[in-house]
Amino acid sequence: MHKKKISLSGMWNVVSDCGDYQLQSRVPGSLFQALEESGFWGEKDVFWRDNNRKCVEIADRNFTWSREFVLSQEFTADYDRISLDADGLDTLTEIRINGNIVGETENMHRRYRFDVTSCLKSGINTIEIRFFNTLKHIREKQEERYIWSSVDNVMDGFNRIRKSSCSFGWDWGPQIPDLGIWRDLFLFGIKEARLNDPEIRQQHSSPGEELNEVTLLCRAENLVDSQEDSQEDLLVTYTISDGSKVVAADSCTTGETAEIRIPDARLWWPNGYGEQNLYQVTTELLVHGKVLDRKEQQIGLRTMELERNPDEWGESFSFKVNGISIFAMGGNIIPQDVYLNRVNETVSRKLLTSCRAANFNCIRVWGGGIYPDEAFYNLCDEFGILVWQDLMFACALYEARNPEFRKEITLEVKDNLQRIAHHPSLALICGNNEMEWAFGSWPQMKWNGENQAEYTLQYEFLLPELAAAVAPDVPFWKASPSSGGFFDDPNDAGRGDVHYWNVWHAGAPFTEFRKHDFRFLSEYGFQSFPSYKTVKSYTDKADRNPYSPVMEDHQRNGDHSGNQKIMNYAAEYFRLGKDLDYICYISQLSQAEAGRYAVEHLRQRRYCCSGSTYWQVNDNWPVASWSSIDYFGRWKALHYAMKRAYAPILLSCRENGTRAEIYVSVEGMEVCTGVIEWALKEMDGAVIRKGTADVFMEPRTSKMAAALDFAEELKGDFVKERYLSVTLINSEYNRIWRDTTWFERYKRIDFVDPKVTWAVNPVLDGWEILIKAEKYAKFVELDLIEGDAIFSDNYFDMDGGEERIITIQRAQCSGNPETELSVRSLFDSCTI
């Protein structure tokens, strides 16, 4: 095949225009990672204490990356054209090869292709990439025309450049406006022609049925301008395989559409609804039988609709996959690291494995970061995780009246949608984060008819039309939250998707979720401190107080007021811990309870609600935040709570005074039969009152299985001594689901010593932990003293006399559970 790639990765020289900084940087890489690797921060890193505060001043200048590379005479002679392919330059650059300007960039979200044929020579070549000062750029842009933006702890003007918005800070992230070559950079030899990203569409005869017949509509074009007669000689072949064999193939000329029938089509389903059957499409561009170029794409056969139908609660909003309306369960994902180049397939696999393990079938890629790489979407395909893909516009106005800006974002969106449109996991393209809602709802927003017109141009016309042309089979949603567009009550609970922040920002109690029948809750959240081990990674011993300057620096919500809010909420429900270690533990329990209240309510309302994506799954640095997994991949209590709340079968209890309603919620494709056993108990295991209820549930339904009133049994101090224990036993699958409910806030309960004991036993693929509680134990936490592990369950309750087996997979453990395991419960947090 007439194609060759020469990577320009490796070590580059970096120098600032002022001469203050001279160092080397790996490529892919970035300035601040290079400074860290050079020892600039001493023995620590940019996250240590308040080191991050120095980054803005450092970035406020120009830098040049340069290196030499050697080309053979054969390479320069064998190809008609040679392209410099830049998949990630951050952000404003001028590129020179052997002193010749070959290109400029102004958008880190785009892939650039520069014809550098005439500038290259056999032997030694030099390449220089000058990175211009992005901070100066946004200041000058704001001076020319001020355009509003509003986020806690973010630099003004982040919306004046096509760069990751959160690199300028956010209400969970540091101001580290990095720069550099953050994705692959290489020379690409072209012989006569080059493929674009092939378009692959699907036609289904009977979506969701066994005898569904699927036809692929495949179309590819030559990206290189060629003579008309040579274009006629180009042939495109498509080969479809299922991982073990070729199942179909066809060919046509470039620009034409091949219709390829897939026999015995196996459908792709979201996690929990069926198998993730995948196919590989190999597209080859040939001339006279010789392969000039090749593309590999991963697809799954499925239909995808955004179902919106009027009903008695307003209008439905659900993902309909292969004819089945699913309940979307997941969270919002932000960039996985401030050093974007460190995010690779291994890093994404770790994060998305944790998402699937917590029963996710959906994630929202939030619009203030970056478009993930191909590996990310391949993993979502593999794991059955639907992707709600925001376009990269968030919490700000943009200069849509400027034709150059419209041209730039058109190229950006077209480039990225062409790259990802074929993925079966891609469920929705969303125009922006929170901008329609901001009009008329955010008092700090200085809006007028002009910028409202600009918004309308960008999100009601330009982007929807572009998405329809490039990704016609993927639903488009104009904003999040929205009720459908044109400023029609965009955060209405009865239509579209909702961002609900009364719990947390407004200080409302956890039960406030229960007052609303949301159709799809795409943002809600609650903060906690990370693991105490994570806190120790960025603090000195003297810093380990929730209100120390360093602890408040690693908190970006409000004017460092987030830690106070964490403590205030914790004090409403819990007795505060005896030291920072226990305060971290209590804060995570508070966060987990907020998430549990929300999801249980949403799933109990399955008749009108179709989705939950909480804010947020991950962090991009070690910080107190809304995340369920901290920067180092440690699961917080919230992530374990979401694993239980997102389980295909959810047993939940809705308490109100001395009353309790027991619900069963079922997702997936199977019915649920079983028996509920409930008992009002004391902490020593004594049963005060008990009963049973039979359960038969169709899939994708929820119903109340029992309504109880314990007014007599919970009189006086008994409300602080007795709790409801509920068990669902499914004999067909030999499964048991448990839930315990108190009718009083935990801080008013004098928990007794549960006398928890445990034994760790190695097994073939990891360890089993046999754990026993003599008396009732609330929020039992398992951890390793030095290492880390993901447990099959954690932060769980145990009845008195209960035994439970918890497992650890060896691949998900970095320590030795036999010597390092620590166990504690809520009782221990207040024991001196």
Side-chain angles (χ1 to χ4, degrees), residues 33 85 101 195-196 203 221 278 567 636 650 670 677:
Q33 184 184 25
D85 287 11
I101 297 176
L195 283 170
N196 70 339
Q203 289 181 343
E221 294 183 351
L278 295 171
M567 299 295 285
K636 296 182 183 179
L650 171 64
E670 304 294 334
E677 298 178 353

Side-chain angles (χ1 to χ4, degrees), residues 83-118:
S83 171
L84 175 66
D85 287 11
D87 286 349
L89 295 178
D90 182 8
T91 294
L92 306 174
T93 74
E94 178 187 86
I95 307 167
R96 294 175 181 263
I97 291 181
N98 296 325
N100 301 293
I101 297 176
V102 298
E104 297 175 342
T105 72
E106 55 180 326
N107 190 334
M108 73 173 291
H109 302 302
R110 285 181 56 194
R111 296 174 295 175
Y112 288 90
R113 305 291 181 254
F114 301 108
D115 186 346
V116 297
T117 313
S118 62

